């Protein structure tokens, strides 16, 4: 009778404006889906042009090239006898829409525009697109000539409709619509839609994956049905890493799970499922059936095609599986590593250079690069020809095969310890030992000559010589002398990144990696244009607490014993003179707050949307066992004073992997002024009034 349907979803590593590469990956996914017996294939959001085109969506070129790619897909024999659902921008009556274009055998069946646009956090879809606001309404869309010549169609349906095949009914959602409180799948399911598709451009955030999985499973748990989710994967040109996790769910249970982090550019999931399981599941939900009897019907586009075979009694169907989630430490090990790999191969550079200080942050960054080398070697071992081809281009050797992560690390990763008279032997030894254990090409150098030269120029011009505070200098002198050291390290990092491979007789240059964590950026505990200024920063969206846990993970999983002494040492900038050969300066003393406190301030400021007064009100309850209201007030005032004084540093923050929802990234995630009235007079007066009352 035709009940076992075979459907496919995929995770594709698309790249903004890489129309040729994007087309090739779409073709590959369709080919895999067909070879595995699928009759319907859905891909990620805006997969033809790539999700992260940003203001390029305004350009007519983006629309033109998207239609050119669509024409290639339509006319190809590879897309015959399978319903293909692809994403691209479409201009309808001079309005841009984020659309799904669904076609079969050289005929476009439906263009379905997005109804709920993502416009929070990192998303700005309302800047480029308009939501389709005409529920259950379809209009005629006049096809451009380039498409008419392939399909023979002049117009096609455009709007909020569903597909009725010979054996079932399908409805499409696009990314944000799954997360919306009035998701279309609810009404579609009540109207008899049995298969829901979702094309996503959903990025990775630590501890987020379970939320997406729960949403998909709950979509069909209440209403029955099959839910197929496709997602973008990889770095498509900016700070975000799209983490795949393509999945298929039926009646509230996962039946197919894709990987969250991998170096495979194309990943396809295929599942064969019994439609009668959906119908019997719905049959006993009386509340659902009562609501269904009153639903306003969707326009149906009839499709003379079946997703099942007429004789399918013996066809095996998929059974529910248990979803496996990564721990946060695994996410840090894998997500930023995959992001770095995409950035390295697509930027066509020869590797990375990292100023390695022997502290937790730069060591965590080094471990992420080492994890990347592990992933690359594993992918090559598993037969990934794309990764092998990219490796050979990076190392400029057409015969090279990476087998040992340490050996590959030495080829593409340079670490550099930049000592000064204020550096301890302990941090020098820690950096050297870690470099040996991960295999990086390690450089030791001393910056004192450069520091003395810079300060000497100042003294020669002004006739004054600044001193550290331990030698009787003022705070201004002390800070200026620290900043000179920090900024010289940045200059040297870029010099060595450009010329280190030249000195080794190797071609190419290196990308400079930064290693400021999210908490230090929030507080502004960094020198503007020091080593936090780099090409990219894989840990800029990760908290100190999570980085410490990640270091412990690396000790246990990568056997990097050098990290034990790094973990136990107090974080320090080593910019002030040593006392009896030992470090006297520590980060938390300099900041006037702990890293644990900083994480709490960051979450309250960004996620809880708390200003100074609201933060104080929340913390007097959170910290009532450990702080008096007056102490809480002092801490909150100090944080906001330091945050606002240093906010200008966020405007030049190195592009960082986005991993945390309280990131202070000024680019598009955390939009704030960078010139504040740092007295916060009105706000602090409200706090003082409440303290006196308490």
């Amino acid at each position: 009778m035709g009940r076992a349907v075979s459907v496919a979803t995929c995770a594709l590593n698309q790249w903004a404006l890489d129309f040729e590469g994007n087309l090739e990956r779409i073709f590959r996914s369709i080919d895999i889906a067909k070879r595995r017996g699928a009759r319907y294939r859905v891909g990620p959001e805006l997969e033809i042009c790539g999700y992260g085109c940003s203001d390029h969506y305004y350009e007519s070129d983006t629309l033109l090239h998207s239609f050119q790619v669509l024409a290639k897909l339509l006319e190809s024999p590879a897309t015959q006898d399978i319903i293909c659902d692809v994403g691209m921008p479409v201009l309808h009556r001079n309005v841009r829409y984020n659309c799904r274009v669904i076609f079969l055998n050289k005929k476009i069946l439906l263009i379905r525009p997005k109804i709920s646009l993502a416009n929070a956090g990192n998303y700005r879809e309302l800047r480029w697109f308009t939501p389709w606001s005409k529920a259950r309404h379809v209009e005629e869309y006049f096809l451009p000539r380039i498409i008419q010549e392939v399909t023979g169609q002049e117009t096609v349906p455009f709007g909020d409709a569903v597909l009725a095949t010979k054996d079932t009914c399908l409805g499409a959602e696009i990314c944000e619509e799954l997360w919306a409180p009035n998701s279309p799948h609810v009404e579609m399911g009540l109207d008899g839609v049995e298969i829901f598709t979702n094309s996503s451009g959903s990025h990775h955030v630590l501890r987020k994956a379970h939320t997406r999985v729960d949403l998909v499973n709950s979509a069909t748990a209440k209403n029955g049905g099959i839910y197929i989710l496709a997602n973008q994967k990889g770095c498509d040109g900016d700070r975000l890493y799209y983490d795949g996790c393509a999945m298929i769910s039926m009646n509230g249970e996962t039946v197919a799970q894709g990987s969250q982090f991998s170096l495979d550019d194309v990943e396809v999931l295929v599942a064969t499922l019994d439609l009668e399981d959906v119908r019997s599941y719905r049959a006993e939900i009386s509340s659902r059936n009562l609501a269904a009897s009153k639903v306003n019907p969707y326009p149906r586009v009839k499709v003379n095609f079946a997703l099942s075979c007429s004789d399918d009694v013996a066809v095996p169907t998929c059974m529910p599986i248990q979803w496996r989630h990564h721990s946060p430490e695994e996410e840090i090990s894998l997500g930023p590593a995959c992001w770095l790999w995409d950035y390295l191969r697509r930027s066509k550079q020869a590797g990375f250079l990292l100023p390695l200080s022997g502290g937790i942050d730069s060591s965590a960054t080094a471990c992420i690069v080492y994890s990347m080398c592990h992933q690359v070697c594993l992918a090559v071992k598993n037969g990934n020809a794309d990764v092998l081809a990219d490796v050979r281009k990076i190392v400029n050797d057409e015969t090279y095969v990476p087998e040992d992560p340490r050996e590959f690390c030495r080829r593409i990763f340079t670490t550099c310890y930049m000592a000064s008279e204020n550096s301890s032997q302990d941090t020098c030894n820690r950096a050297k030992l870690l470099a040996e254990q991960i295999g990086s090409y390690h450089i030791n150098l001393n910056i004192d000559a450069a520091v003395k030269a810079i300060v000497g120029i100042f003294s020669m011009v002004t006739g004054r010589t600044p001193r550290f505070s331990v030698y009787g200098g003022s705070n201004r002198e002390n800070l200026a002398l620290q900043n000179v050291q920090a900024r010289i390290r940045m200059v040297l990092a870029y010099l060595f990144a450009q010329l280190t491979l030249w000195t080794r007789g190797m071609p190419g240059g290196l990308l400079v990696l930064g290693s400021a964590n999210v908490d230090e950026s929030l507080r502004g505990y960094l020198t503007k244009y020091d080593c936090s200024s780099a090409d990219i920063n894989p840990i800029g969206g990760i908290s100190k607490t999570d980085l410490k846990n990640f270091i412990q993970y690396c000790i246990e999983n990568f056997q990097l014993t050098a990290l034990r002494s790094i973990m136990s040492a107090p974080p320090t900038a080593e910019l002030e003179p040593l006392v009896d050969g030992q470090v006297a300066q520590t980060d938390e003393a300099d900041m006037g707050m702990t890293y644990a406190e900083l994480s709490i301030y960051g979450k309250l400021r960004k996620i809880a949307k708390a200003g100074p007064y609201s933060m104080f009100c929340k913390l007097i309850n959170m910290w009532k066992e450990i702080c008096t209201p007056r102490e809480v007030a002092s801490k909150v005032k100090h944080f906001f004073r330091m945050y606002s004084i240093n906010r200008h540093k966020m405007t030049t923050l190195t592009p960082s992997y986005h991993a945390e929802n309280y990131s202070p990234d000024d680019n598009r995630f955390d939009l704030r002024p960078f010139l504040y009235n740092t007295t916060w007079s009105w706000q602090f007066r409200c706090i003082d009034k409440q303290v006196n009352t308490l």
Side-chain angles (χ1 to χ4, degrees), residues 548-583:
K548 286 182 177 179
N549 294 335
F550 169 62
I551 290 288
Q552 185 61 44
Y553 169 88
C554 292
I555 294 172
E556 296 167 4
N557 290 271
F558 294 143
Q559 289 75 52
L560 300 176
T561 54
L563 295 172
R564 290 200 180 101
S565 60
I566 292 169
M567 270 281 283
S568 60
T572 174
E574 288 197 332
L575 294 171
E576 294 187 26
L578 303 175
V579 176
D580 297 326
Q582 299 299 313
V583 173

Side-chain angles (χ1 to χ4, degrees), residues 161-177:
V162 298
L163 300 182
T165 65
K166 294 164 79 172
D167 50 0
T168 187
C169 188
L170 302 96
E173 288 189 324
I174 306 176
C175 199
E176 178 73 9
E177 293 166 10

Side-chain angles (χ1 to χ4, degrees), residues 323-339:
W323 187 283
R324 183 196 177 277
H325 291 287
H326 290 288
S327 68
E329 294 75 34
E330 288 175 321
E331 290 185 82
I332 294 170
S333 176
L334 297 171
C338 293
W339 182 74

